[in-house]
Amino acid sequence: AQTVTQSQPEMSVQEAETVTLSCTYDTSESDYYLFWYKQPPSRQMILVIRQEAYKQQNATENRFSVNFQKAAKSFSLKISDSQLGDAAMYFCAYRGSGGSNYKLTFGKGTLLTVNP
Amino acid sequence: KAGVTQTPRYLIKTRGQQVTLSCSPISGHRSVSWYQQTPGQGLQFLFEYFSETQRNKGNFPGRFSGRQFSNSRSEMNVSTLELGDSALYLCASRTDISGRNTQYFGPGTRLTVL
C-alpha cells in the first residue's frame, strides 16, 4: 500500500521569507501523481500544485514550486516570499495511475505559521 | 464556474441517529469522492461514485453508504451514529475516473455526534 509521510508537524516562517515543506512517499508504481493541498482555518481544501511522475521538470505555480526527486521518492514544496495568507495546514497527497487511481493518500499534514 | 458545494456545513446528532450529507460537484464533473477527516486518523477515503455507480470503497463499516444521482450530485449516509463518527466530511469532484485528473474539494460538513 502506498504511504505518504510528512515529517514536519509544524513549521514557521517570517513574512517575505522562503520555507520548504517536506514529503516522502512509498510506492511500487512507476506512474503516479503527487499533489500539495492547503487547508486554511476556513477548512476548504485548496489545490496548491500537482506533479506528474513521468515529468522530469518540477512544477511551479507562482510563488509555489516543488522539488520532485523520483528516485528518492521525495516531493517537497517551496513557498517563496511567504505571505500571511499562506498560513494553513499543508497536505501532501499521492494518487496512483493504475488500480489505485481512485483515491488520494494523504500525509498527516504540516501546520505552517507565517509571522509578520 | 462554481466550486464543489456541500450541505449542511454543520450538523449535530446524537448516538444511534442517522445522518445524510449532500455534495454537488463542479459542473461537468461526473466523479464524486468522499473523505473523512479526523485529528487522529487524518484524511481517509470513504468511497467514490461515477455515473451513479460506486466504483471504489475504503475501509469503513457498512454503516457508511452513499449514492449518486443522474445529475452527479451525491449523498452520503451514516446510520447508527457513534461518537467516533464525529469528523469533517469532505467531498471532492473530478471530471472522470481517469488517473490523471485533479480532485477539487468542497468546504466540508462538520458532523458532531453527542
Side-chain angles (χ1 to χ4, degrees), chain B residues 1-78:
Chain B
K1 191 182 277 191
V4 179
T5 58
Q6 292 186 246
T7 57
R9 293 293 309 279
Y10 302 91
L11 209 47
I12 299 176
K13 294 285 186 179
T14 56
R15 278 182 299 173
Q17 287 187 309
Q18 76 166 22
V19 67
T20 300
L21 312 181
S22 181
C23 171
S24 292
I26 292 171
S27 178
H29 286 196
R30 297 168 58 199
S31 161
V32 173
S33 297
W34 290 88
Y35 290 81
Q36 181 196 63
Q37 185 177 22
T38 60
Q41 298 298 317
L43 284 144
Q44 294 185 287
F45 171 79
L46 280 155
F47 30 64
E48 178 176 38
Y49 285 86
F50 178 74
S51 293
E52 302 177 62
T53 303
Q54 186 182 90
R55 298 296 174 141
N56 295 286
K57 187 173 175 21
N59 189 26
F60 279 81
R63 300 185 297 106
F64 291 82
S65 63
R67 59 178 177 168
Q68 186 180 35
F69 302 94
S70 58
N71 61 358
S72 295
R73 188 177 71 85
S74 177
E75 286 182 347
M76 190 192 95
N77 185 273
V78 188

